[in-house]
Amino acid sequence: QVQLVESGGGLVQAGGSLRLSCTTSGRAFIKYTMGWFRQSPGKEREFLAVIGWDFGNTYHADSVKGRFTISRDAAKNTMYLQMNSLKPEDTAVYYCAQARMTPHWPTTKEEYAYWGQGTQVTVSS
């Protein structure tokens, strides 16, 4: 049984920062590509960033590149999303997910097999 638990969400003013965490249990963390998504009411779940299982290479969506950074601590089975220069439009529920085995960067929600419960991020103007 794979479990992913997000934490670190909350209320922050525009221009502020938050760091989200995602702790994984039940399956060898280091062997699976992991990603972050977000979803606002009435919108599709949006891909944000992914980190590779082997060398920890990363890829960020253009919408957050330069502001958000994905990282991991394999020893702690934990992945992070550092979010800087937050904007009101970043307000959403943020999810971490563990990908299925794919030969390329998984950037769609269908390519992910396991999901956390989500953590709310609210950015006030």
Side-chain angles (χ1 to χ4, degrees), residues 92-122:
V93 177
Y94 284 69
Y95 298 91
C96 67
Q98 191 176 77
R100 310 178 194 277
M101 299 298 285
T102 67
H104 54 265
W105 281 129
T107 60
T108 67
K109 59 183 187 295
E110 290 79 12
E111 295 175 289
Y112 288 78
Y114 298 96
W115 294 84
Q117 82 288 351
T119 186
Q120 177 70 45
V121 171
T122 303

Side-chain angles (χ1 to χ4, degrees), residues 42-113:
K43 293 188 176 181
E44 292 288 321
R45 192 163 294 192
E46 178 190 7
F47 166 78
L48 300 176
V50 59
I51 187 163
W53 71 269
D54 46 4
F55 301 110
N57 293 342
T58 63
Y59 173 77
H60 297 77
D62 289 343
S63 60
V64 300
K65 195 175 295 182
R67 297 192 301 125
F68 292 8
T69 303
I70 190 172
S71 63
R72 70 179 187 188
D73 184 336
K76 296 182 179 180
N77 279 1
T78 301
M79 175 178 69
Y80 304 98
L81 186 67
Q82 178 67 44
M83 305 187 295
N84 299 328
S85 302
L86 283 162
K87 306 173 183 179
E89 50 264 45
D90 293 318
T91 295
V93 177
Y94 284 69
Y95 298 91
C96 67
Q98 191 176 77
R100 310 178 194 277
M101 299 298 285
T102 67
H104 54 265
W105 281 129
T107 60
T108 67
K109 59 183 187 295
E110 290 79 12
E111 295 175 289
Y112 288 78

Side-chain angles (χ1 to χ4, degrees), residues 27-34 52-54 72 98-99 101:
R27 199 155 78 160
F29 172 83
I30 191 66
K31 294 186 177 180
Y32 292 90
T33 295
M34 302 283 293
W53 71 269
D54 46 4
R72 70 179 187 188
Q98 191 176 77
M101 299 298 285

